[in-house]
Amino acid sequence: MDTVIVNIAGWVGMALLLGAYALVTAGRLPGTGLTFQVMNLVGGALLMVNSAWYGAWPSAVLNLVWVVIGTVGLVRWRLRSVRPAGAPAGTRGGAGPS
């Protein structure tokens, strides 16, 4: 992989993570929304690649955890979006508690 691409990935990842945090802090995005989760997931993944490339393993592992958290957030968002309107929080499609 070319160093320029790795550096661009790092800068884009940093911008996504900071942008997501700033938008939630400013009240412009909900912290449980799809946009926030995707920004965190992609930003963390790009920074993980950059950190691993340069051998900054503590940062790479931190961003791996960030990606896992973002993935869990996306899964939870998806499960909430599948649940019918007005259904209790623990149900999906009338299938009972999850």
Side-chain angles (χ1 to χ4, degrees), residues 1-97:
M1 191 179 306
D2 187 52
T3 304
V4 173
I5 294 171
V6 171
N7 285 334
I8 290 170
W11 283 105
V12 170
M14 178 273 309
L16 285 170
L17 288 179
L18 286 177
Y21 183 69
L23 288 168
V24 167
T25 300
R28 305 283 304 222
L29 280 179
T32 57
L34 177 62
T35 301
F36 178 73
Q37 298 302 333
V38 170
M39 289 176 76
N40 272 298
L41 179 66
V42 174
L46 292 173
L47 275 175
M48 180 179 59
V49 168
N50 180 275
S51 298
W53 176 268
Y54 286 106
W57 297 112
S59 292
V61 171
L62 168 69
N63 285 294
L64 174 62
V65 172
W66 207 263
V67 167
V68 170
I69 291 169
T71 301
V72 170
L74 282 176
V75 169
R76 292 181 71 185
W77 176 86
R78 178 69 179 139
L79 291 175
R80 279 193 308 272
S81 69
V82 171
R83 187 177 64 235
T91 63
R92 291 176 300 207

